[in-house]
Amino acid sequence: MKARIALNRGVEGFFGTKDENIRLIEKCLGVTTRLTHDALEIEGDDEQVTRAEAIVADYGALLESGHKLPSADLTSYLKVITADNSVTLRSMVESGKARNFGKKTVVPKTVNQRVYLEAIERVDLVFGIGPAGTGKTYLAVAMAVSALLNKQVSRIILTRPAVEAGERLGFLPGTLQEKIDPYLRPLYDALFDLLDIEKVEKYLERNTIEIAPLAFMRGRTLNDSFIILDEAQNSTAEQMKMFLTRQGFNSKTMVTGDLTQIDLPPGRRCGLNEAIEVLAGVEGVEVVYFDERDVVRNSLVQRIVKAYERYNEANGAGRQMSLRLPPADASKA
């Protein structure tokens, strides 16, 4: 099948830097394209050509309705759309506009991010597991802000285990809040990115948004709240059970963590690992896994994550092989 799409004004932005967007469509949909002076020709399998036509048509319609799509955002959307034929460009952009995230429009930039956001909307307890840079914490905070601004909850509770990442910081001066704030800084960063500083400070002052170490959750019942436990791989089994039983009525709980970056002392069982095993199959609980393809930071971060995965797999395989070797004197038996 061959299709010919007239190029309307502004549609040239669709092609992206060095035509990266059109090359992405060619690669993922298995079509070929040719640009003439007044049209884009697409050739390939009937179904895939129809999909490519729909993507370009959606882009034109969004431009006409006043949407502005930066090239980098469009590239991220196209990665999701070409991987999942149930998603359209228009539905992705408009779903992001429909949610109130404060000063930002937040839309999923990978298939797993889309699954993650849908899980948060659908169930009351979601685990987001994966490497750094995949948007686990940022998207969880964004959904919490959206729920607060849309009056679905009356407060946000953000918490982290206060565990040093392989370092010994020693005595820290200042008040208790000043001592623990460095551990919670990534949560502040996400809030300041989504809301004006003045609004964040007002919410913090009124305890509408509360940021506290995990140890402060004991003995509480959190009703009408959006609760996020970040860096959950550094919680112990006892802490995780304590945290998960804090959830009250009309509340949602998010647990995020990276199982490759556990900073617990030797001999302490990781609460995140145990919780995933214990809650497998429990109704109302979903686990979403991310990998290096979901990293939305510098592309170098994707390559770093993949390199560590290969290294760990190789070392793990080596250890397993050594365990299967016969003892040194086995041949003498």
Side-chain angles (χ1 to χ4, degrees):
M1 177 180 176
K2 187 174 183 178
R4 190 172 188 276
I5 304 172
L7 295 179
N8 299 321
R9 184 179 178 184
V11 79
E12 62 274 4
F14 177 83
F15 293 86
T17 305
K18 297 182 179 179
D19 293 340
E20 62 179 340
N21 292 333
I22 205 69
R23 299 290 165 253
L24 176 63
I25 288 179
E26 287 183 330
K27 178 181 177 182
C28 294
L29 298 185
V31 298
T32 58
T33 66
R34 189 170 75 89
L35 183 64
T36 67
H37 71 282
D38 64 344
L40 175 66
E41 295 179 351
I42 306 173
E43 189 171 0
D45 177 77
D46 290 5
E47 181 180 351
Q48 303 296 38
V49 169
T50 300
R51 287 182 65 194
E53 278 188 291
I55 292 170
V56 178
D58 275 356
Y59 181 81
L62 288 167
L63 286 183
E64 290 180 5
S65 62
H67 288 281
K68 294 182 179 179
L69 296 177
S71 179
D73 288 350
L74 179 59
T75 302
S76 298
Y77 299 154
L78 291 176
K79 289 178 181 177
V80 178
I81 297 161
T82 53
D84 186 346
N85 59 14
S86 66
V87 186
T88 66
L89 179 59
R90 182 178 291 191
S91 68
M92 283 198 70
V93 174
E94 291 179 348
S95 68
K97 291 287 185 182
R99 301 185 184 110
N100 182 5
F101 293 106
K103 63 183 182 181
K104 280 288 186 75
T105 297
V106 178
V107 295
K109 295 185 176 180
T110 69
V111 173
N112 285 333
Q113 285 190 357
R114 176 171 172 262
V115 171
Y116 187 56
L117 293 184
E118 290 176 351
I120 295 172
E121 291 181 330
R122 187 170 59 252
V123 300
D124 290 337
L125 174 57
V126 178
F127 290 83
I129 314 296
T134 52
K136 307 181 302 295
T137 301
Y138 187 86
L139 290 175
V141 174
M143 291 297 282
V145 167
S146 177
L148 180 66
L149 296 179
N150 292 323
K151 302 188 185 304
Q152 296 170 324
V153 298
S154 62
R155 59 179 172 164
I156 297 172
I157 312 292
L158 306 175
T159 185
R160 265 185 161 205
V163 175
E164 296 165 346
E167 302 168 271
R168 293 294 177 266
L169 301 180
F171 172 77
L172 294 175
T175 64
L176 178 61
Q177 192 64 44
E178 290 170 339
K179 292 175 190 289
I180 64 177
D181 272 355
Y183 296 102
L184 306 171
R185 179 50 51 186
L187 299 174
Y188 284 105
D189 291 342
L191 286 173
F192 289 138
D193 194 51
L194 292 159
L195 297 169
D196 293 327
I197 293 177
E198 296 78 12
K199 183 168 282 191
V200 173
E201 290 175 346
K202 182 179 73 173
Y203 283 148
L204 290 170
E205 187 178 312
R206 296 178 178 178
N207 276 336
T208 301
I209 296 177
E210 180 182 345
I211 304 178
L214 180 57
F216 286 21
M217 296 296 107
R218 186 173 297 278
R220 304 180 64 182
T221 300
L222 304 173
N223 294 316
D224 198 29
S225 303
F226 200 114
I227 314 152
I228 300 173
L229 170 57
D230 190 35
E231 295 290 336
Q233 76 276 4
N234 289 327
S235 66
T236 64
E238 296 80 10
Q239 287 177 321
M240 178 62 76
K241 181 181 178 182
M242 175 274 293
F243 171 77
L244 293 176
T245 54
R246 299 307 94 201
Q247 184 168 345
F249 295 105
N250 188 41
S251 291
K252 281 185 179 287
T253 298
M254 287 295 311
V255 179
T256 68
D258 179 358
L259 291 171
T260 68
Q261 297 194 45
I262 298 174
D263 299 312
L264 289 170
R268 301 303 299 270
R269 179 159 170 74
C270 171
L272 180 57
N273 251 330
E274 181 177 273
I276 294 171
E277 294 175 14
V278 170
L279 300 177
V282 173
E283 185 179 355
V285 179
E286 288 201 21
V287 181
V288 179
Y289 290 95
F290 298 88
D291 57 36
E292 80 284 349
R293 292 168 296 180
D294 301 299
V295 173
V296 291
R297 294 179 183 168
N298 188 309
S299 60
L300 175 61
V301 178
Q302 288 184 322
R303 298 194 292 273
I304 290 171
V305 171
K306 190 63 178 176
Y308 269 97
E309 285 183 358
R310 288 196 299 267
Y311 175 82
N312 290 332
E313 287 172 4
N315 284 353
R319 284 194 296 271
Q320 290 171 1
M321 288 175 66
S322 66
L323 291 175
R324 289 197 293 269
L325 291 174
D329 59 348
S331 58
K332 301 177 183 178

